[in-house]
Amino acid sequence: MGLMDRIRGEFIDIIEWTDDGRDTIVWRFPRYGNEIKMGARLVVRESQVAVFVNEGRLADVYQPGTYTLSTQNMPVLSTLKGWKHGFESPFKAEVYFVTTRQFTDFKWGTQNPVILRDAEFGMVRVRAFGTFAAKVVDAAALLRELVGTDPQFRTEEVGEHLRQLIVSKLGSALGSAGVPLLDLAARQDGIGRQLAEALTQELTSTGIAIPRFYIENISVPPEVEAAIDTRSRMGITGNLDDYAKLQAADAIPLAAANPGTGGDALGLGVGMALGQRVVQSMSGTTAPSASAAQAPAQPAPAPAADVPPPLPTAPRWFLAVAGQQQGPYDENALAGQVAAGNLTRATLVWRSGQAAWQPADQVPELASLLADVPPPLPPQG
């Protein structure tokens, strides 16, 4: 401090702080040589507390109000200084003003996804973001644990610490909540309250509390979103037969967009399947039931000389999805699996005649089906 600050310190005997910013948590009153006169007036406003520190030791904490500083209302400090019989000289002490209002502009988010175990979808990676509020509930603990001798302690100095703590607690909070993935959106408020209580408990030693915690969004990877969309579509159609029709209808644009032997065969198969269903609906007949399909087949009459032999049997494919074998599927059903995201270039496939399972993009017969499927993303840095 300069000469003017020293002269001003001889006359100013009102100690107060009017906060002109929105991000200051702790502010130290500037005083030349830390000399505060006996009889000085201390003004502590609402949403503030004043903390006196003498020779590195916390002396007194003052709540909102106006005080005349003397040995009578500063018993702890007077004991530390050893004042006796009306000692009137200036005493050296530091005065810290601490804001006790809520700071509501903190934001948080998961930089990396949190892995959860869901009863319906298994292991799922989720991301989340939102906001939270923080406030000081124990000014003395805050000075001891975080502020130290910092003359101006701001929210940015503690914000990153709070965000890291939130991310570390988020996984355990979501896991212990026992909420299915599809119900997380409806339970965000309850999970937010649970996290606020856990974070306040964790921050007790620092004198900070988290009175409000908000989860604005919880998102899942695109493949899980596709599975949820597929589950919704199945619920809308009502039964597997209708869902098979829906898959066949979805496969028509794929076949039209992939001309060639594979695409023509797929289009022919889809057209035949749809044609059979149209004929059945017009004639009032229905597809054979499961019990009829299991009944022993009757011997077919001998074909006439001018009747061609039956078409060759289409290959039946098996897929490895999430470590489980699924199938068999014909080419029509494979198109539906591509649309549902279960058949990608990296999916392992097998059919009769193959020596071992192979990635789909290494099987020439499936090249036309995978023409519009993008390759795997490159490794992320």
Side-chain angles (χ1 to χ4, degrees):
M1 294 186 181
L3 178 60
M4 292 304 298
D5 295 320
R6 182 173 183 177
I7 295 175
R8 190 179 298 112
E10 294 297 325
F11 294 98
I12 297 177
D13 59 356
I14 298 178
I15 303 173
E16 62 179 351
W17 176 41
T18 55
D19 186 7
D20 56 356
R22 301 296 298 171
D23 61 347
T24 303
I25 302 177
V26 179
W27 181 77
R28 185 174 66 192
F29 181 77
R31 190 72 167 181
Y32 179 79
N34 295 334
E35 294 180 352
I36 300 175
K37 295 181 178 300
M38 289 291 295
R41 300 296 296 272
L42 171 65
V43 180
V44 184
R45 291 174 170 81
E46 292 292 342
S47 75
Q48 296 178 352
V49 294
V51 180
F52 270 70
V53 177
N54 175 68
E55 297 180 357
R57 296 179 60 186
L58 190 147
D60 291 287
V61 178
Y62 285 84
Q63 300 299 322
T66 301
Y67 304 89
T68 300
L69 301 184
S70 63
T71 57
Q72 284 77 21
N73 63 8
M74 303 180 67
V76 177
L77 189 57
S78 63
T79 301
L80 294 176
K81 298 297 294 184
W83 291 334
K84 294 182 180 179
H85 309 296
F87 180 69
E88 295 295 337
S89 299
F91 58 88
K92 292 182 178 288
E94 297 171 322
V95 181
Y96 291 85
F97 286 90
V98 181
T99 303
T100 57
R101 66 176 178 85
Q102 290 190 27
F103 292 88
T104 60
D105 54 352
F106 287 104
K107 299 183 183 298
W108 65 273
T110 55
Q111 183 176 4
N112 298 313
V114 177
I115 301 178
L116 300 178
R117 185 185 300 275
D118 186 75
E120 294 186 65
F121 298 96
M123 303 296 289
V124 181
R125 293 176 290 113
V126 300
R127 294 179 181 270
F129 64 87
T131 59
F132 66 96
K135 66 175 300 183
V136 178
V137 294
D138 188 342
L142 179 68
L143 262 67
R144 285 194 296 264
E145 298 296 329
L146 295 180
V147 178
T149 59
D150 191 345
Q152 195 166 12
F153 187 74
R154 299 180 180 274
T155 55
E156 61 186 18
E157 300 180 56
V158 72
E160 186 60 29
H161 170 68
L162 295 178
R163 280 187 284 271
Q164 293 176 358
L165 182 62
I166 287 170
V167 173
S168 68
K169 296 292 184 181
L170 181 63
S172 59
L174 293 177
S176 61
V179 180
L181 180 64
L182 298 179
D183 297 334
L184 281 178
R187 300 284 296 276
Q188 286 181 181
D189 290 343
I191 297 174
R193 288 192 295 270
Q194 179 181 348
L195 274 170
E197 295 174 0
L199 293 170
T200 299
Q201 182 80 19
E202 185 73 18
L203 294 168
T204 300
S205 61
T206 64
I208 298 176
I210 307 296
R212 298 287 185 272
F213 189 90
Y214 302 101
I215 301 176
E216 297 182 9
N217 180 265
I218 298 177
S219 60
V220 296
E223 57 269 21
V224 179
E225 291 182 353
I228 294 174
D229 293 341
T230 301
R231 183 75 59 85
S232 300
R233 296 170 71 189
M234 290 179 64
I236 293 173
T237 56
N239 57 60
L240 293 178
D241 183 60
D242 290 338
Y243 183 63
K245 296 178 186 178
L246 180 62
Q247 286 188 315
D250 289 341
I252 294 177
L254 294 175
N258 295 276
T261 304
D264 294 342
L266 177 61
L268 178 61
V270 172
M272 293 177 61
L274 291 179
Q276 291 175 357
R277 296 198 179 274
V278 171
V279 172
Q280 290 173 359
S281 62
M282 294 178 63
S283 62
T285 61
T286 59
S289 62
S291 58
Q294 295 175 358
Q298 298 296 328
D306 57 347
V307 176
L311 293 173
T313 304
R316 310 290 284 178
W317 297 88
F318 293 84
L319 307 181
V321 179
Q324 300 292 326
Q325 174 182 309
Q326 296 187 7
Y329 303 106
D330 57 16
E331 290 184 351
N332 297 341
L334 284 182
Q337 294 300 314
V338 171
N342 293 332
L343 176 55
T344 65
R345 294 177 180 272
T347 303
L348 296 177
V349 301
W350 182 88
R351 70 174 177 84
S352 177
Q354 285 186 201
W357 291 82
Q358 291 182 326
D361 60 355
Q362 297 182 12
V363 180
E365 295 91 330
L366 303 181
S368 60
L369 290 177
L370 301 173
D372 291 337
V373 177
L377 292 173
Q380 301 297 311

